[in-house]
Amino acid sequence: MFKIPDRVADLFGDQAARVEFQRALLAVGQAQHYEMTYLEDGPFSEAARITHGRLHSVDVNSLPEEQRELVAGAKALSHRLITSGYAIHEAAKVNELAAEDWSELLAFTREKCEGSARIADNKGWERCYTYILDRAEAALSPDRSDEDRDAGYAVLRHFASFYGTDSSFKRRWYLQVA
C-alpha cells in the first residue's frame, strides 16, 4: 500500500471501478475471498494493486468473447491507476505544480491516447485512458484544491510521457515514473 495519502483514491476511486475489478476477477476465476474484502472496502489503490496482480498475466484472447472487454479494461485500468499514483508521488516529491498549459497538455494526451486505442493489441486502453483522463481533467478545474490540480497535472504528464518522441511533445511535460 502507499505510504503517502491515497491520492489515487481521492481522484479516481469510485464504487463502479471497484465493482468492475470484482467482476473481472470473478470472470477469470482469480478472486480470493480475503481479497474481495479489500476490493469492496479497502483503500482504492490496494484494490487496483490486487486487480493488476491477478490479471497481469491473463491472456485476454483466451477468454470467451463476452468477458474480453471487461477483463481487458480492468487489466489496463488497474495498471495505469497504479502508475498514476507513482506519477503523483514523483511530482509531489520535487514539489512540481500544475502549470497553466494544462489544457494544451490534456488535448495532446487525449489525441495520442485515442490513436493508441485504435491499435489492435491495446485492448482495454480506451476504457483506461478515458476513465483516468476525464478524472484528471476534473481535478484541474479552477474550483478544485491546489493539491488536486497538481495531482491531475502529474497524471496528464505521466500519460503524455508515453509519447515523448512525438514532435508536438513539450519537454517540460516529461515525467519519469520509476
Side-chain angles (χ1 to χ4, degrees):
M1 283 198 269
F2 288 163
K3 302 278 189 241
I4 58 173
D6 192 353
R7 299 298 296 141
V8 170
D10 296 343
L11 297 176
F12 305 112
D14 68 12
Q15 190 58 34
R18 288 178 183 273
V19 170
E20 181 179 339
F21 291 163
Q22 292 169 350
R23 287 181 51 229
L25 291 174
L26 289 169
V28 297
Q30 291 290 324
Q32 301 293 324
H33 177 70
Y34 70 94
E35 291 174 334
M36 293 304 278
T37 302
Y38 272 102
L39 290 170
E40 292 171 8
D41 301 318
F44 187 73
S45 58
E46 191 63 18
R49 256 186 236 291
I50 289 168
T51 303
H52 176 65
R54 293 288 181 184
L55 295 180
H56 82 275
S57 62
V58 170
D59 177 11
V60 175
N61 293 323
S62 69
L63 298 172
E65 186 71 36
E66 65 275 3
Q67 295 176 345
R68 289 180 189 166
E69 187 175 335
L70 170 67
V71 174
K75 183 177 179 178
L77 180 59
S78 61
H79 181 221
R80 288 301 164 209
L81 285 170
I82 292 166
T83 62
S84 292
Y86 296 156
I88 293 167
H89 180 70
E90 290 299 319
K93 274 193 329 191
V94 293
N95 202 30
E96 291 183 351
L97 308 175
E100 294 302 315
D101 69 345
W102 71 267
S103 59
E104 180 185 8
L105 173 59
L106 176 64
F108 171 85
T109 306
R110 278 200 193 279
E111 177 188 335
K112 298 307 171 190
C113 287
E114 285 171 7
S116 292
R118 290 186 211 110
I119 298 171
D121 288 342
N122 279 348
K123 288 181 177 56
W125 180 242
E126 184 173 6
R127 166 73 178 113
C128 168
Y129 89 80
T130 55
Y131 182 92
I132 292 174
L133 295 185
D134 287 350
R135 282 155 181 81
E137 180 180 16
L140 283 157
S141 171
D143 62 326
R144 297 288 289 268
S145 70
D146 287 345
E147 186 178 49
D148 283 356
R149 292 176 53 74
D150 296 343
Y153 191 77
V155 170
L156 290 181
R157 288 179 59 208
H158 170 51
F159 273 71
S161 294
F162 300 150
Y163 309 100
T165 59
D166 188 272
S167 63
S168 58
F169 179 81
K170 304 223 183 318
R171 194 74 191 135
R172 68 180 176 272
W173 293 340
Y174 182 74
L175 180 63
Q176 171 117 12
V177 176

